[in-house]
Amino acid sequence: PVSVKESKAPVFNKADMMARLMDDEDLARTVAEGFLGDIPSQIEVLKGYLDAGDASGAERQAHSIKGASANVGGEALREVAFGMEKAAKAGDLKSVMARLPDLENQFARLKDFMSEFINAK
């Protein structure tokens, strides 16, 4: 598995997000705010599946985080979630657990970048 530290993925690809949202800055800010408000609870749901030993649930949840991250241009977070999704699909919950700190770290980094974008009105 690729370590996030070795990743070349950008933390926040604003241009990618803007292209998906037809360069509508107000819509992009609304989407970014919704994403930042939702992902912490999504991470908690993932932790719940891991605590329960539910590989299928963890796979679905990591897939959801991956998709949401991709939609807002959070490439580094998407990459970590994708690795977690693959590990969960293989039934390797130990690897998924080991990546939780990376997932939380990448979310914190993305939140910093997105917050700058949101507040740059």
Side-chain angles (χ1 to χ4, degrees), residues 6 12 18 24 27 37 40 46 52 57 62 68 71 74 83 92 98 104 113 118:
E6 298 167 13
F12 179 43
M18 293 306 295
D24 184 330
L27 178 59
L46 175 59
N71 285 335
D92 185 1
E104 291 174 319
F113 278 87
I118 290 167

Side-chain angles (χ1 to χ4, degrees), residues 8 13 15 18 20 24 26 28 30 32 37 41 48-49 57 65 67 71 79 84-85 87 93 98 103 112 115-117:
K8 300 290 186 238
N13 187 336
M18 293 306 295
R20 277 190 190 83
D24 184 330
D26 290 334
T30 300
S41 62
Y49 284 124
I65 293 168
N71 285 335
E79 197 172 83
M84 294 173 89
E85 177 187 6
L93 292 182
L103 187 77
D112 287 345
S115 294
E116 279 184 38
F117 164 69

Side-chain angles (χ1 to χ4, degrees), residues 2 11 59 69-70 89 116:
V2 176
V11 174
E59 178 188 355
S69 301
K89 185 174 187 163
E116 279 184 38

Side-chain angles (χ1 to χ4, degrees), residues 2 7-8 12-14 34 40 42 48 63-64 68-69 73-74 96-97:
V2 176
S7 172
K8 300 290 186 238
F12 179 43
N13 187 336
K14 179 184 169 195
Q42 296 298 322
H63 178 81
S64 294
S69 301
V96 180
M97 283 278 232

Side-chain angles (χ1 to χ4, degrees), residues 75-107:
E75 291 303 314
L77 182 61
R78 182 204 59 79
E79 197 172 83
V80 175
F82 182 50
M84 294 173 89
E85 177 187 6
K86 289 192 299 188
K89 185 174 187 163
D92 185 1
L93 292 182
K94 197 172 199 175
S95 288
V96 180
M97 283 278 232
R99 292 174 185 220
L100 267 175
D102 278 345
L103 187 77
E104 291 174 319
N105 180 48
Q106 289 303 333
F107 174 67

Side-chain angles (χ1 to χ4, degrees), residues 44-70:
E44 289 305 312
V45 170
L46 175 59
K47 288 177 182 177
Y49 284 124
L50 291 172
D51 289 344
D54 183 345
S56 178
E59 178 188 355
R60 285 191 314 274
Q61 193 61 27
H63 178 81
S64 294
I65 293 168
K66 176 188 79 174
S69 301

